[in-house]
């Protein structure tokens, strides 16, 4: 019997987390429950029940709430357990939750962030291979790898400042 209770408890926890998340976003946006309900096209009692974790709204209602809060619907879908959270952690979550940014601005920031992370991972992979190859000394006439050159130039420029 206990095995069957676990999924139910997980769903209840997700619904409660969703309600708390919506309440926090509403507080951040500095709008009342009534204002949000009106903007989202839902009733006050229904929205109150969602915030208290008594109701689990549909994806369509979540979209309306997200639009009313000017946040990403994806952030609400993740909170509701409809979508899996994307890799990237707190930075991605913060960008998606920011009510001051449009969806287009959020997407551009996410693209830039993903690009930077990709570059860093590629550099780490090159540096990792270079570290492994350092077991054998490089002949003096062999040029450095591009990653080593970039690191050395960075260190030189920092020491000159």
């Amino acid at each position: 019997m206990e095995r069957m209770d676990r999924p139910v408890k997980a769903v209840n926890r997700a619904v409660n987390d969703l309600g708390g998340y919506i309440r926090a976003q509403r507080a951040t946006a500095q709008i009342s429950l009534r204002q949000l309900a009106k903007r989202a096209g839902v009733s006050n009692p229904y929205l109150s029940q969602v915030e208290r974790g008594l109701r689990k709204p549909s994806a369509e209602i979540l979209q309306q709430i997200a639009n009313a809060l000017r946040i990403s619907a994806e952030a609400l879908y993740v909170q509701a357990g409809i979508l899996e959270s994307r890799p990237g952690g707190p930075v991605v979550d913060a960008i998606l939750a920011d009510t001051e940014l449009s969806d287009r601005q959020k997407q551009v920031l996410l693209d830039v962030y993903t690009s930077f992370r990709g570059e860093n991972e590629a550099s780490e992979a090159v540096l990792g291979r270079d570290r492994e190859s350092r077991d054998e000394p490089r002949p003096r006439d062999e040029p450095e790898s591009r990653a080593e050159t970039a690191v050395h130039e960075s260190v030189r420029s920092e020491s000159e400042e």
Side-chain angles (χ1 to χ4, degrees):
M1 190 70 167
E2 192 174 309
R3 281 187 183 169
M4 295 185 78
D5 289 342
R6 287 183 196 162
V8 171
K9 288 179 181 177
V11 168
N12 288 340
R13 188 170 44 254
V15 171
N16 289 334
D17 291 347
L18 172 64
Y21 182 79
I22 291 171
R23 186 180 308 111
Q25 292 300 315
R26 183 172 56 78
T28 300
Q30 298 179 341
I31 59 176
S32 71
L33 181 79
R34 285 188 175 149
Q35 289 171 320
L36 178 57
K38 184 176 181 181
R39 289 181 189 177
V42 298
S43 70
N44 294 345
Y46 179 78
L47 184 58
S48 174
Q49 290 172 350
V50 168
E51 284 192 357
R52 290 182 288 142
L54 302 176
R55 296 254 184 172
K56 184 174 181 182
S58 67
E60 183 180 327
I61 297 296
L62 287 174
Q63 175 73 48
Q64 291 170 223
I65 292 171
N67 288 342
L69 287 169
R70 294 186 178 173
I71 62 172
S72 166
E74 183 177 349
L76 285 182
Y77 294 156
V78 168
Q79 288 293 323
I82 295 171
L83 284 180
E84 300 259 336
S85 63
R86 292 199 289 181
V91 173
V92 172
D93 293 341
I95 291 170
L96 293 174
D98 192 324
T99 59
E100 299 294 315
L101 299 174
S102 70
D103 285 341
R104 175 74 179 123
Q105 291 168 328
K106 290 176 187 181
Q107 188 57 54
V108 169
L109 278 174
L110 291 172
D111 290 345
V112 169
Y113 178 69
T114 303
S115 172
F116 284 159
R117 288 189 54 125
E119 287 177 19
N120 290 345
E121 288 174 10
S123 294
E124 284 298 315
V126 169
L127 287 174
R129 284 195 306 268
D130 288 346
R131 284 187 201 111
E132 290 172 6
S133 67
R134 286 190 188 139
D135 293 341
E136 297 177 20
R138 183 184 46 175
R140 286 203 168 266
D141 60 338
E142 184 180 310
E144 295 179 323
S145 72
R146 289 187 343 177
E148 286 178 310
T149 302
V151 168
H152 291 167
E153 288 175 2
S154 172
V155 168
R156 277 188 223 121
S157 67
E158 287 176 5
S159 64
E160 291 172 2
E161 290 176 356

